[in-house]
């Protein structure tokens, strides 16, 4: 008999973990809805070229991490490794600029990357992403940061903000030339991956965990920024200062996706393992939309790594997820129909209550055992008192029980709560 287990790098999320995931998702939704972001539900797979052309042919994601699907007609699709490319595609395809006065979008869902699985790094993982189109820097960058801080504050996370500017098409080429010149001079000491990166995507070497000590004297991009990028970066820093938002400059922060221009950032939590401690990251990508054939459109965004946030969050007591389970017990099967009526009555205008039962063909004793195992707080027992419109309400927390008139049942439970 073949025994199936979940595929490496994927995981089943259940019990407390699923509550945590939904709690974080809900907190993110609550914050972005205050700022008029609109939800967009994206397909989980798209044309392979969409990702090759947006994320960049020579990035790790495109070169090594994409899950490819070839359909029966030989067409190549990819399980989405991220959400930004999909939002940009949808924005252009449906002319969303004419539909939404404010072009602010968010999405939530699983992403797929073929990475070496470990705690906080999965092959299927969840992101909550936000994208802002057609709004200039620095106000839109600061809005992103403020939203992130509001989410962190809500869920009780303390992250450290790292920022950098990666320049633009005008200044980055000159920086890259200088960088390659320097890296060639120390080529022998680079790791094997970086020797290849030197040919294909030298900026990525700045992000190499192995070669960090060798890049101490490396040319820094902020010294090569054109006037416009320099001014923009200064404006962002000034506004962060005025808003009392703490940050650290990381001159080696380049991000693993090629579409970024100017301002980039990452939020890290140092209590997590150093290779998976970025819990939210993003930046500007002012040229991406144009490269897909649409008109020049400013853009910035970021994505929260929900799986990593789950490691840091505890659901506060008294939050909405603290639902109350109520068992609906019946002394015999003749009361099952009444049991359904009472279950409806309890759940109909009250999202706090979850009912279990009625269950037929089980003794009251085994129903009570099940309700207890399911951690029901109360049990409503329907027996012969029903002829007087009454039921027994048992409180599992103290094992007390009393006869209650059905009309006052909800009121009674609410009062105890
Ligand atoms: P990213 O940095 O590739 O950016 O991913 C954002 C976040 O997703 C990471 O900081 C991390 O928390 C989480 N993450 C990434 N890979 C994994 C994984 N294998 N397992 C668990 N969590 C992971 C983006 O995806 C950009 N699209 C963000 C963005 C939006 N930029 C502009 N708009």
């Amino acid at each position: 008999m073949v025994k199936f287990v979940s595929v490496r790098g994927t995981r089943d999320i259940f019990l407390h973990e699923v509550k945590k995931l939904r709690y974080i998702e809900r907190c993110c939704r609550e914050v972005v809805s205050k700022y008029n972001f609109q939800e967009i539900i994206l397909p989980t797979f798209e044309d392979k070229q969409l990702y090759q052309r947006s994320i960049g042919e020579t990035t790790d994601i495109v070169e090594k991490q994409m899950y490819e699907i070839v359909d029966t007609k030989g067409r190549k699709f990819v399980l989405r490794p991220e959400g930004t490319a999909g939002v940009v595609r949808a924005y252009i395809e449906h002319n969303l600029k004419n539909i939404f006065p404010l072009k602010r979008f968010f999405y939530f869902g699983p992403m797929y990357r073929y990475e070496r699985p470990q705690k906080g790094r999965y092959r299927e993982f969840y992101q909550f992403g936000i994208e802002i189109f057609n709004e200039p820097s620095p106000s839109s960058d600061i809005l992103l940061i403020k939203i992130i801080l509001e989410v962190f504050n809500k869920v009780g996370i303390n992250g450290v903000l790292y920022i950098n500017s990666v320049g633009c098409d005008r200044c980055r080429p000159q920086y890259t030339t200088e960088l390659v010149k320097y890296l060639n001079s120390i080529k022998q000491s680079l790791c094997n991956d970086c020797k290849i990166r030197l040919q294909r995507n030298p900026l990525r070497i700045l992000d190499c965990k192995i070669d960090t000590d060798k890049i101490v004297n490396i040319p820094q991009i902020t010294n090569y920024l054109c006037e416009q990028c320099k001014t923009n970066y200064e404006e962002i820093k000034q506004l962060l200062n005025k808003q009392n938002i703490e940050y650290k400059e990381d001159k080696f922060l380049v991000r693993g996706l090629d579409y970024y221009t100017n301002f980039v950032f990452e939020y890290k939590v140092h209590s997590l393992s150093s290779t998976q401690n970025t819990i939210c990251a993003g930046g500007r990508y002012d040229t991406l939309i144009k490269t897909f054939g649409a008109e020049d459109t400013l853009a910035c965004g970021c994505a929260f790594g929900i799986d990593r946030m789950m490691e840091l969050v505890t659901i506060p007591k008294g939050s909405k997820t603290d639902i109350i389970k109520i068992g609906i017990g019946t002394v015999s099967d003749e009361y099952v129909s009444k049991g359904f009526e009472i279950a409806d009555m309890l759940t109909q205008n009250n999202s706090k209550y979850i009912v279990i039962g009625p269950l037929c063909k089980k003794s009251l004793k085994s129903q009570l055992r099940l309700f207890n195992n399911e951690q029901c707080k109360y049990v409503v027992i329907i027996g012969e008192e029903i002829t007087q419109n009454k039921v027994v309400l048992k409180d599992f927390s103290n094992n007390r029980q009393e006869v209650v008139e059905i009309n006052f049942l909800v009121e009674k439970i609410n009062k105890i709560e």
Side-chain angles (χ1 to χ4, degrees):
M1 180 77 164
V2 190
K3 233 182 167 180
F4 292 105
V5 292
S6 56
V7 174
R8 196 166 129 78
T10 70
R11 70 204 211 284
D12 303 304
I13 304 172
F14 50 90
L15 273 176
H16 194 63
E17 286 295 286
V18 81
K19 286 186 190 162
K20 216 190 267 189
L21 182 140
R22 293 299 176 209
Y23 169 69
I24 298 171
E25 179 196 349
R26 202 176 60 234
C27 288
C28 293
R29 281 176 183 275
E30 278 171 11
V31 173
V32 298
S33 60
K34 276 181 23 190
Y35 296 97
N36 211 13
F37 280 74
Q38 305 293 327
E39 180 165 15
I40 179 156
I41 300 178
L42 301 164
T44 37
F45 63 93
E46 302 245 11
D47 200 311
K48 184 178 178 184
Q49 282 188 31
L50 173 74
Y51 299 113
Q52 287 175 315
R53 289 191 36 208
S54 55
I55 298 171
E57 297 270 6
T58 56
T59 56
D60 279 358
I61 296 180
V62 168
E63 281 193 333
K64 302 180 197 158
Q65 298 177 347
M66 296 208 300
Y67 278 95
E68 197 171 309
I69 308 166
V70 183
D71 75 1
T72 44
K73 292 193 171 144
R75 290 173 295 208
K76 287 185 179 163
F77 305 106
V78 161
L79 290 184
R80 60 181 186 196
E82 58 109 52
T84 310
V87 179
V88 167
R89 194 247 330 118
Y91 181 77
I92 298 168
E93 180 178 342
H94 307 295
N95 230 343
L96 298 186
K97 74 171 200 299
N98 294 338
I99 299 176
F100 297 98
L102 264 181
K103 294 121 191 45
R104 298 178 175 181
F105 305 99
F106 77 91
Y107 50 89
F108 173 79
M111 307 291 158
Y112 302 86
R113 293 183 196 173
Y114 185 75
E115 295 201 73
R116 185 178 301 204
Q118 51 193 293
K119 202 163 194 243
R121 171 158 295 151
Y122 303 98
R123 290 179 176 172
E124 182 183 59
F125 59 96
Y126 289 80
Q127 277 189 350
F128 188 99
I130 55 183
E131 314 293 347
I132 305 176
F133 297 160
N134 207 27
E135 288 187 42
S137 179
S139 55
S140 49
D141 312 292
I142 302 299
L143 177 63
L144 283 181
I145 302 291
K146 284 188 89 74
I147 287 174
I148 297 167
L149 285 174
E150 230 174 287
V151 169
F152 285 176
N153 200 17
K154 234 178 166 45
V155 300
I157 288 180
N158 233 329
V160 182
L161 170 62
Y162 291 87
I163 65 167
N164 194 18
S165 172
V166 292
C168 67
D169 291 347
R170 289 182 302 273
C171 48
R172 207 181 312 152
Q174 199 212 332
Y175 171 66
T176 312
T177 311
E178 291 303 317
L179 182 69
V180 170
K181 213 187 277 173
Y182 172 81
L183 289 169
N184 266 321
S185 70
I186 57 156
K187 190 174 172 185
Q188 292 322 312
S189 62
L190 294 177
C191 73
N192 285 340
D193 275 349
C194 282
K195 280 183 185 137
I196 300 166
R197 285 184 190 123
L198 185 52
Q199 307 298 321
R200 301 176 60 81
N201 196 343
L203 274 177
R204 301 291 314 141
I205 298 177
L206 299 180
D207 208 22
C208 175
K209 302 283 177 285
I210 307 165
D211 286 335
T212 38
D213 53 328
K214 294 162 200 142
I215 56 172
V216 187
N217 297 320
I218 212 162
Q220 292 176 358
I221 190 155
T222 37
N223 296 333
Y224 292 81
L225 295 178
C226 61
E227 272 315 304
Q228 216 172 316
C229 287
K230 208 187 278 174
T231 312
N232 174 247
Y233 190 43
E234 286 307 316
E235 278 173 356
I236 291 172
K237 286 190 283 184
Q238 269 173 25
L239 213 44
L240 286 171
N241 291 336
K242 279 194 187 151
Q243 294 284 310
N244 285 327
I245 297 172
E246 285 179 28
Y247 59 87
K248 290 186 176 163
E249 283 187 72
D250 177 355
K251 305 227 154 69
F252 300 131
L253 178 62
V254 281
R255 312 273 302 119
L257 306 99
D258 279 353
Y259 50 63
Y260 291 107
T261 47
N262 307 331
F263 182 57
V264 289
F265 63 88
E266 292 187 348
Y267 265 98
K268 290 182 192 289
V269 170
H270 293 294
S271 59
L272 295 174
S273 139
S274 67
T275 47
Q276 294 80 245
N277 63 2
T278 306
I279 50 169
C280 183
R284 297 206 69 83
Y285 48 99
D286 288 332
T287 51
L288 182 62
I289 297 180
K290 193 171 180 202
T291 58
F292 280 107
E295 69 190 44
D296 228 348
T297 308
L298 300 172
C300 66
C302 66
F304 293 89
I306 301 297
D307 309 74
R308 294 178 189 179
M309 288 171 76
M310 284 167 72
E311 286 179 43
L312 302 160
V313 168
T314 28
I315 305 175
K317 277 229 163 298
S319 77
K320 256 198 198 160
T321 46
D322 276 349
I323 36 102
I324 296 160
K325 284 190 186 171
I326 305 174
I328 310 290
T330 49
V331 170
S332 75
D333 281 1
E334 67 179 290
Y335 302 116
V336 163
S337 172
K338 200 71 195 171
F340 279 116
E341 277 177 37
I342 292 178
D344 283 348
M345 186 185 85
L346 287 171
T347 50
Q348 255 161 21
N349 302 312
N350 201 336
S351 58
K352 217 164 70 176
Y353 298 150
I354 287 186
V355 289
I356 301 179
L359 307 156
C360 60
K361 303 202 170 49
K362 269 184 188 292
S363 69
L364 184 59
K365 199 172 160 198
S366 68
Q367 293 172 47
L368 291 177
R369 197 180 315 123
L370 179 92
F371 298 149
N372 198 19
N373 288 344
E374 270 293 336
Q375 291 168 346
C376 288
K377 193 151 182 213
Y378 302 100
V379 183
V380 174
I381 303 169
I382 307 156
E384 55 189 29
E385 303 83 357
I386 201 74
T387 51
Q388 290 139 43
N389 236 4
K390 290 179 179 163
V391 288
V392 172
L393 177 65
K394 184 179 169 71
D395 186 337
F396 260 138
S397 60
N398 54 19
N399 266 329
R400 280 200 207 125
Q401 59 182 57
E402 60 181 305
V403 176
V404 177
E405 222 177 285
I406 293 182
N407 293 345
F408 297 117
L409 189 61
V410 175
E411 203 178 301
K412 180 85 197 164
I413 298 174
N414 279 338
K415 218 183 224 168
I416 317 176
E417 282 304 312

